[in-house]
Amino acid sequence: MRNLSLKQLQAVAAVARLGTMTRAAQELNVTSAALYARIRQLEEEAGLLLFDRTPTGLKPTDAGREMLWAINSINTVLETCTDRLRTLKGGGGGRVGLGVVSTAKYFAPLVIAGFMESHPKVEISLTVGNRQDTIEALRNYDIDFAIMGRPPRDFAIEAETFGPHPLVLIAAPDHPMAGRRGLTRADLAEESFLVREEGSGTRSVFEEFMSGVMIRRAKLGIDSGSNETLKQAVMAGLGIALLSGHSVAAEIESGRLVLLDVEGLPIRRDWYVVRRADKVLGPASDAFWDYLAREGRRFLPDIPGGFFPENAVDGVVAEPARSPAEAGE
């Protein structure tokens, strides 16, 4: 594909992002016919279709995704070149695309502030989402790296841990079990549980922890994508919830929530900083990655009374996949 041009690559990227030729043509300020001709020429040279027509729009085929990978690589090289030129000029600037799962939003701004004290000219774009959203952002090269509690296993990544991530069971201060010691999972069978949405890391841990125990759900029928909604519901006495200790530290400190002392809790997991294995980081992103791995732990919130040494166990943490073959998925 020696005649490949940047305009053709821009066309593929726009169609993949927007899902239609018409919208992509409008964004690129060309006619739909001209845009179609660019895509068609690429497909003829490759001998493969780049997009499938689906009820929800045009979706990249395997060949299209390979083309998007090439586009990302080119953009990364160009951005890296720009960042390095700025560094050579003494500007110390650059851009970082950081994604964090919603539970990490309670400390991520502090990490960013700490980093920017010594890198004031770096621009940081922060994206907050649930685990599935964050993984998709990594998969699609929408972010440079992410903070999460459980790395993906279905594509090759690089990951480093930077601190413990305990998950705890919370209740309202006047809950009948508040203050009791040595509770078991069986003691929780009749309690009303409030849970995160399907696909969240916390939901997966909850299901693993309560596996084999018949439970009932709270009368408030929500699968919440928000830790804040769950905390408010627990404080209102509508049920109990398993959440990240870092997301409830402030409420425990103020006495608005209490920890339940249950055998096997807290579940001790780790915080990871994760990127695609084939993602080339620019100087600014590389510096922030190193900072997170080295200094991230000190920004994690303290959890008052959050650890019961006689009960605490290590959670099962998914090992980072180093390649699609190793992932086995």
Side-chain angles (χ1 to χ4, degrees), residues 70-244:
I71 294 167
N72 175 74
S73 299
I74 292 170
N75 287 336
T76 298
V77 170
L78 292 174
E79 289 173 2
T80 299
C81 177
T82 300
D83 288 344
R84 288 176 174 168
L85 289 174
R86 287 174 178 169
T87 301
L88 287 174
K89 290 191 298 183
R95 294 178 301 278
V96 179
L98 172 64
V100 303
V101 294
S102 55
T103 303
K105 69 183 180 182
Y106 296 94
F107 62 85
L110 294 174
V111 178
I112 293 172
F115 174 74
M116 294 191 71
E117 285 182 2
S118 55
H119 298 78
K121 295 185 179 180
V122 171
E123 298 176 9
I124 297 179
S125 173
L126 176 64
T127 303
V128 181
N130 66 17
R131 182 172 184 271
Q132 287 183 330
D133 293 339
T134 304
I135 288 175
E136 285 306 303
L138 279 173
R139 190 195 311 276
N140 297 329
Y141 302 94
D142 294 333
I143 55 179
D144 293 320
F145 51 84
I147 295 174
M148 60 176 56
R150 186 159 54 98
R153 292 186 59 85
D154 59 343
F155 58 94
I157 56 99
E158 291 186 12
E160 291 188 49
T161 61
F162 63 86
H165 180 201
L167 286 98
V168 298
L169 195 63
I170 58 169
D174 59 354
H175 190 278
M177 289 187 176
R180 290 177 55 184
R181 302 301 298 268
L183 296 169
T184 67
R185 291 188 306 154
D187 293 327
L188 306 176
E190 295 301 315
E191 294 300 312
S192 296
F193 281 93
L194 296 154
V195 297
R196 285 290 303 270
E197 78 284 4
E198 290 281 357
S200 77
T202 306
R203 174 68 169 265
S204 299
V205 175
F206 169 78
E207 291 174 347
E208 292 170 9
F209 179 69
M210 295 303 294
S211 176
V213 179
M214 294 295 293
I215 64 171
R216 63 176 178 144
R217 297 285 290 277
K219 292 181 180 179
L220 176 62
I222 59 170
D223 282 339
S224 176
S226 166
N227 288 320
E228 295 304 319
T229 302
L230 290 183
K231 288 191 292 185
Q232 292 297 325
V234 172
M235 284 188 277
L238 294 172
I240 61 177
L242 183 74
L243 291 176
S244 164

Side-chain angles (χ1 to χ4, degrees), residues 239-272:
I240 61 177
L242 183 74
L243 291 176
S244 164
H246 293 141
S247 70
V248 296
E251 289 80 7
I252 295 169
E253 176 71 29
S254 66
R256 289 175 290 166
L257 289 172
V258 296
L259 299 175
L260 296 184
D261 178 20
V262 181
E263 182 181 3
L265 292 178
I267 297 172
R268 295 186 180 180
R269 309 193 88 168
D270 290 302
W271 282 114
Y272 287 84

Side-chain angles (χ1 to χ4, degrees), residues 25 30-38:
V30 298
T31 65
S32 296
L35 183 64
Y36 177 80
R38 292 180 190 177

Side-chain angles (χ1 to χ4, degrees), residues 1 4 8 12 21 36-52 58-59 61 63-64 67:
M1 303 184 71
L4 188 66
Q8 288 174 316
V12 173
M21 291 282 184
Y36 177 80
R38 292 180 190 177
I39 299 295
R40 187 59 187 155
Q41 183 180 4
L42 274 178
E43 290 179 331
E44 288 176 353
E45 288 193 39
L48 295 165
L49 289 177
L50 300 181
F51 295 96
D52 285 326
L58 296 173
K59 301 294 182 184
T61 61
M67 191 69 69

